């Protein structure tokens, strides 16, 4: 049994060190069927063999200390739904990882990775009171450098998986090890790698104190890496990118307690987004932009007035065009319009006529083309449109009240539209 721990450590480190899918220059991220089958077979064999050894010698603390980090990396390599990991590999990895957490004396996976802070007292049975995350990131650092990270497709997935398991305040301790490979991913030409990098940066923004991100200009570096991606034409990427940019702007752009502010990067990003929305024809991208708009309007607050002309064009054009029976874009734009009316109410009366026309046209379309919508979409559209009309009436009652009353008295208006307008007029 004396040679067993060192042999296991050697086997696992060797298995992890080549990333299981080492590629030659020029064919990164391209896997042949034969290579995938071989990798799945080799991975499953390694997982089952390692788990069997742990099952026989789990009480050997030296074995656990020497092999736990490499074993966790091996498990993380096969846990996800990757090309090189089939269902048997995923199940074996999950079972082995559970055994590793138990053998290390940790109550949870998070504790195994992060350990305990200086103000916390770790239980006596815990073998890694400071966690193993640093050792994992140190091992990944050699594989995720600029020269060879493309040859290590598993390593980037391990980095993302380990990072997303960690929580505040432990993530900040490893920022210098995590940030460089995450930036490499963001800067890659493949959308899949960009997406993975953005997810890593989003987790950093969420789980690291803003003060730590501002140290040494780290927040600025993250923003500069993300800003060029606003011009990408990938809906999946945009859905992750826009919240991440909002988060990092909150870190690097300081709000004044009082007095006017100068135009800043919030305005720059918002102008780019509005420009993209105006010219975008792809439904998937229009939906992602629409989902994001309400949050950005709320973040800008009263300063959304600086973008009023262009924003109004976007709102009106998106409300006029259907994007399918679920009407995701329209529902999100109506939510953004509610935020806009709330935040920019002093200027709303100047736009109330145009907004009223497009909202009434939408109510009429909902009634006349009911078969084009799902029932939930129809109900939500009606409710949100009525809410927007209520807010418009409150912003400019002298104009909206008689206008809506006059429309109700028109003989061409059907009963359903009259019912909606009656609700708007009676709402306090």
């Amino acid at each position: 049994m004396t040679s067993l721990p060192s042999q296991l450590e050697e086997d696992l480190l060797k298995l992890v060190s080549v990333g299981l899918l080492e590629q030659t220059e020029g064919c990164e991220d391209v896997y042949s069927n034969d290579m995938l089958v071989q990798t799945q077979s080799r991975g499953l064999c390694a997982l089952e063999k390692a788990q069997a050894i742990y099952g026989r010698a789990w009480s050997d603390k030296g074995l656990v200390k020497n092999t736990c980090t490499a074993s966790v990396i091996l498990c993380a390599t096969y846990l996800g739904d990757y090309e090189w990991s089939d269902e048997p590999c995923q199940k074996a990895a999950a079972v082995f990882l559970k055994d590793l957490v138990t053998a290390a004396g940790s109550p949870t996976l998070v504790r195994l990775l992060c350990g305990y802070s200086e103000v916390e007292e770790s239980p006596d049975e815990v073998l890694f009171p400071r966690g193993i995350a640093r050792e994992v990131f140190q091992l990944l650092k050699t594989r995720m450098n600029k020269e060879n990270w493309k040859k290590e497709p598993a390593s980037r997935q391990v980095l993302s998986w380990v990072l997303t398991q960690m929580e505040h305040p432990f993530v900040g301790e490893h920022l210098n090890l995590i940030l460089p490979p995450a930036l490499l991913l963001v800067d890659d030409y493949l959308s899949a790698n960009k997406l993975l990098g953005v997810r890593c940066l989003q987790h950093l923004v969420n789980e690291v104190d803003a003060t730590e991100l501002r140290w040494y200009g780290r927040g600025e570096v993250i923003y500069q890496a993300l800003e060029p991606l606003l011009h990408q034409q990938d809906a999946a990427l945009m859905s992750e990118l826009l919240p991440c940019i909002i988060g990092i702007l909150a870190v690097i752009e300081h709000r004044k307690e009082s007095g006017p502010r100068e135009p800043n990067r919030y305005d720059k990003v918002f102008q780019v987004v509005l420009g993209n929305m105006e010219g975008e024809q792809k439904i998937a991208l229009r939906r992602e932009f629409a989902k994001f708009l309400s949050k950005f309007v709320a973040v800008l607050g009263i300063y959304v007035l600086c973008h009023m002309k262009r924003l109004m064009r976007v709102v009106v054009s998106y409300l006029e065009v259907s994007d399918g029976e679920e009407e995701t874009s329209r529902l999100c734009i109506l939510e953004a319009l509610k935020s806009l009316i709330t935040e920019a109410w002093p200027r709303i009366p100047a736009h109330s006529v145009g907004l009223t026309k497009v909202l009434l046209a939408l109510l009429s379309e909902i009634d006349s083309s009911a078969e084009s919508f799902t029932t939930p979409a129809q109900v939500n559209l009606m409710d949100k449109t009525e809410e927007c009309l209520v807010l418009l009436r409150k912003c400019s009652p002298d104009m909206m009240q008689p206008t809506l009353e006059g429309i109700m008295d028109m003989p061409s208006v059907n009963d359903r539209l009259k019912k909606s307008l009656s609700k708007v007029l009676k709402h306090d």
Side-chain angles (χ1 to χ4, degrees):
M1 291 292 290
T2 56
S3 63
L4 197 58
S6 61
Q7 184 62 50
L8 176 61
E9 181 180 4
E10 181 181 340
D11 291 346
L12 290 178
L13 288 177
K14 182 178 180 181
L15 193 62
V16 175
S17 67
V18 297
L20 300 178
L21 286 170
E22 185 169 354
Q23 298 283 298
T24 59
E25 292 292 340
C27 62
E28 298 95 340
D29 298 307
V30 179
Y31 319 124
S32 67
N33 289 332
D34 289 342
M35 182 181 296
L36 291 176
V37 171
Q38 292 173 8
T39 301
Q40 291 166 2
S41 176
R42 188 171 69 174
L44 183 60
C45 179
L47 287 164
E48 291 177 343
K49 179 181 177 182
Q51 185 187 7
I53 294 172
Y54 264 81
R56 296 196 307 269
W58 66 270
S59 59
D60 187 336
K61 305 305 180 185
L63 168 68
V64 178
K65 287 185 176 181
N66 290 335
T67 63
C68 190
T69 300
S71 299
V72 168
I73 291 176
L74 178 64
C75 292
T77 301
Y78 288 95
L79 270 174
D81 186 18
Y82 312 129
E83 289 183 84
W84 57 85
S85 178
D86 57 6
E87 187 175 351
C89 287
Q90 294 168 24
K91 289 182 177 179
V95 172
F96 185 27
L97 183 63
K98 185 178 179 180
D99 289 348
L100 286 171
V101 174
T102 302
S106 298
T108 63
L109 174 61
V110 174
R111 286 298 188 185
L112 174 60
L113 294 172
C114 300
Y116 295 80
S117 66
E118 295 179 356
V119 297
E120 295 178 303
E121 184 176 349
S122 62
D124 295 337
E125 65 272 15
V126 172
L127 299 183
F128 303 97
R130 293 295 174 260
I132 64 170
R134 178 164 294 277
E135 287 73 21
V136 171
F137 292 134
Q138 287 283 9
L139 281 172
L140 293 175
K141 182 180 179 181
T142 60
R143 302 179 177 89
M144 289 289 292
N145 59 50
K146 193 172 184 179
E147 286 71 33
N148 64 5
W149 74 274
K150 279 282 194 173
K151 301 178 184 180
E152 298 278 353
S155 295
R156 72 195 77 156
Q157 299 293 348
V158 173
L159 173 78
S160 175
W161 180 85
V162 173
L163 174 59
T164 52
Q165 304 305 311
M166 299 174 67
E167 301 172 349
H168 178 274
F170 302 100
V171 180
E173 300 173 5
H174 313 290
L175 201 53
N176 288 337
L177 293 171
I178 301 168
L179 191 54
L183 293 173
L184 276 177
L185 291 169
V186 170
D187 195 43
D188 191 48
Y189 69 94
L190 290 175
S191 293
N193 290 332
K194 290 181 186 292
L195 182 60
L196 195 62
V198 171
R199 286 172 177 166
C200 290
L201 293 180
Q202 176 70 80
H203 195 74
L204 290 179
V205 171
N206 290 342
E207 300 296 332
V208 178
D209 288 330
T211 303
E212 288 185 75
L213 287 174
R214 285 192 287 266
W215 288 344
Y216 313 114
R218 291 160 172 163
E220 297 286 345
V221 169
I222 292 175
Y223 171 78
Q224 290 169 16
L226 294 174
E227 193 266 340
L229 301 186
L230 287 169
H231 303 284
Q232 295 287 316
Q233 298 291 304
D234 187 308
L237 176 62
M238 205 57 63
S239 69
E240 303 282 347
L241 174 66
L242 295 175
C244 191
I245 283 190
I246 284 277
I248 198 60
L249 284 173
V251 172
I252 62 178
E253 290 290 351
H254 300 283
R255 289 178 175 269
K256 289 185 177 181
E257 293 296 329
S258 60
R261 69 161 175 83
E262 295 295 323
N264 58 25
R265 282 168 289 193
Y266 277 113
D267 301 286
K268 180 181 178 181
V269 170
F270 197 50
Q271 280 293 330
V272 172
V273 171
L274 290 178
N276 290 341
M277 292 183 74
E278 279 190 297
E280 188 53 62
Q281 299 299 317
K282 296 178 182 177
I283 290 178
L285 271 169
R286 287 170 66 92
R287 286 173 179 165
E288 295 306 328
F289 286 130
K291 291 175 185 177
F292 159 83
L293 194 61
S294 176
K295 186 172 183 179
F296 215 136
V297 168
V299 169
L300 284 171
I302 191 64
Y303 293 100
V304 76
L305 291 174
C306 301
H307 312 276
M308 200 67 175
K309 186 175 180 180
R310 199 171 197 179
L311 179 55
M312 290 302 302
R313 290 201 305 266
V314 168
V315 168
V316 171
S317 65
Y318 272 60
L319 288 178
E320 289 176 340
V321 180
S322 172
D323 72 327
E325 61 180 13
E326 296 293 336
E327 292 294 354
T328 304
S329 292
R330 277 174 162 172
L331 289 170
C332 293
I333 291 296
L334 287 170
E335 200 63 41
L337 180 57
K338 287 166 57 181
S339 295
L340 176 61
I341 297 171
T342 303
E343 299 292 346
W345 63 267
R347 286 277 298 278
I348 292 301
H351 302 277
S352 59
V353 173
L355 288 173
T356 302
K357 287 181 180 179
V358 73
L359 290 173
L360 291 176
L362 181 55
L363 283 176
S364 179
E365 182 184 343
I366 295 170
D367 179 55
S368 62
S369 305
E371 68 281 356
S372 301
F373 315 104
T374 63
T375 301
Q378 186 179 11
V379 172
N380 288 334
L381 276 175
M382 189 76 72
D383 290 344
K384 290 183 183 295
T385 304
E386 291 171 358
E387 290 169 7
C388 289
L389 285 169
V390 168
L391 291 174
L392 284 175
R393 184 176 67 84
K394 290 182 178 181
C395 282
S396 51
D398 294 339
M399 181 172 62
M400 290 295 297
Q401 189 78 18
T403 299
L404 295 178
E405 290 174 350
I407 293 173
M408 281 190 65
D409 294 336
M410 299 174 80
S412 59
V413 177
N414 61 46
D415 292 340
R416 188 164 186 175
L417 185 54
K418 285 183 179 180
K419 183 179 179 180
S420 293
L421 294 178
S422 176
K423 288 171 63 179
V424 171
L425 290 169
K426 292 178 180 179
H427 195 285
D428 293 330

